[in-house]
Amino acid sequence: AFVGKWGGGGGDDNHRGEERWHCHDPGADGTGCFQGDSSPQRADGTFNYLMDAVLDVPATRAMYLRRLRTLTERFVVSGELERIWRETVGRIRQASLRDNRKWQLGDAQRGLTQILEEQLPARREQLLVTYRDLLPPPQPLKPRLRFGRVGTGPRLGDTFVEVVNPTPQAVDVSGWRVMGSASMVLGPGTVLPPGSTLTLAASVPDFRAPRRGQGKFVQGPLDASGLAGDWELRLFSDGGDLIASEES
């Protein structure tokens, strides 16, 4: 079904000169071309074009797997996901009973039983057993991140703080805080790929405008009101550990 070797779409310089996969008969659900294929980029019997693209690029693959590891520990290993389901069903139970009396399609308890006894155990085994070697190791409590350049230019687009990940592992910085002369809480799902830099900008549009095409990883808005004179910066993890500090 395929011609070429496992590469990836995109036609960029990283793949120039490589052959491409070409699927002649993907079928209605897109899985036809993977029958018998042993590519490590996917789970057997599944195919999703967006995930294929994400997993084909080393940086986004590392980001995705690191975030998956975080969420697996937070919700699956801890039992938090089961608690959320039970609490949710408890809140809607009376309404679901009324619905079932009218439509006879089963109440919420039936759905909860299916989730807890069938779906959740299957997902837990996939994440913790079947595909455990794909996930990165647990993230250190204090990853070796540091501050990079600090911009204090006269224009709003020149005001920024860089957070650098010099390590060979992706680092999940969701909910981490920059404090001191500038402040910001990093958004949920923020992951720094290995050897990457995250720019925290006072204004993301103004920062990006003169830097289009540079592929910078930018988040904002950063409250940089204290960067005008001498400054000091601290980076804290979501658990409150001091990760990095810098001053002018």
Side-chain angles (χ1 to χ4, degrees):
F2 276 112
V3 175
K5 63 185 179 181
W6 185 270
D12 57 14
D13 289 341
N14 292 330
H15 294 288
R16 188 161 293 164
E18 289 188 8
E19 296 177 281
R20 295 288 194 273
W21 280 112
H22 297 289
C23 182
H24 298 304
D25 184 19
D29 62 356
T31 63
C33 289
F34 288 105
Q35 303 304 316
D37 175 55
S38 59
S39 168
Q41 301 285 63
R42 56 165 191 88
D44 291 338
T46 66
F47 183 71
N48 178 287
Y49 287 98
L50 174 59
M51 289 308 305
D52 180 61
V54 168
L55 296 177
D56 191 49
V57 178
T60 52
R61 178 182 174 87
M63 294 167 76
Y64 172 81
L65 293 176
R66 169 53 67 195
R67 185 59 178 165
L68 181 59
R69 174 78 192 220
T70 298
L71 296 179
T72 297
E73 293 175 349
R74 184 171 300 171
F75 291 101
V76 179
V77 175
S78 69
E80 178 66 6
L81 188 57
E82 180 175 342
R83 186 198 66 78
I84 291 173
W85 275 114
R86 291 186 183 277
E87 181 181 293
T88 301
V89 169
R91 290 201 306 266
I92 67 172
R93 178 162 178 74
Q94 294 305 314
S96 74
L97 290 173
R98 290 194 296 270
D99 280 354
N100 187 44
R101 283 195 293 268
K102 180 173 183 177
W103 304 108
Q104 298 299 309
L105 295 176
D107 64 19
Q109 186 61 44
R110 176 182 174 185
L112 177 64
T113 299
Q114 184 179 29
I115 288 171
L116 297 184
E117 295 184 2
E118 298 176 23
Q119 299 172 2
L120 189 55
R123 185 65 68 193
R124 182 181 291 113
E125 180 163 346
Q126 288 174 340
L127 292 169
L128 302 180
V129 180
T130 307
Y131 301 116
R132 67 181 182 275
D133 292 337
L134 290 177
L135 296 182
Q139 180 166 297
L141 290 177
K142 295 184 177 182
R144 293 184 295 105
L145 271 58
R146 60 178 176 81
F147 287 108
R149 296 183 303 158
V150 176
T152 58
R155 297 178 301 178
L156 191 60
D158 294 329
T159 303
F160 62 87
V161 171
E162 291 182 343
V163 177
V164 180
N165 174 17
T167 76
Q169 296 289 333
V171 178
D172 190 338
V173 294
S174 303
W176 289 26
R177 293 176 178 270
V178 173
M179 301 181 69
S181 302
S183 61
M184 181 176 165
V185 179
L186 306 189
T190 304
V191 179
L192 272 69
S196 68
T197 297
L198 169 63
T199 301
L200 307 178
S203 169
V204 172
D206 288 309
F207 179 86
R208 285 192 180 280
R211 301 173 177 86
R212 296 190 185 280
Q214 295 184 14
K216 290 186 176 294
F217 185 17
V218 187
Q219 194 173 118
L222 174 75
D223 180 355
S225 56
L227 289 179
D230 293 338
W231 51 262
E232 56 90 21
L233 296 169
R234 288 162 288 151
L235 176 65
F236 291 92
S237 71
D238 59 341
D241 291 309
L242 178 63
I243 303 298
S245 61
E246 188 73 34
E247 60 184 35
S248 59

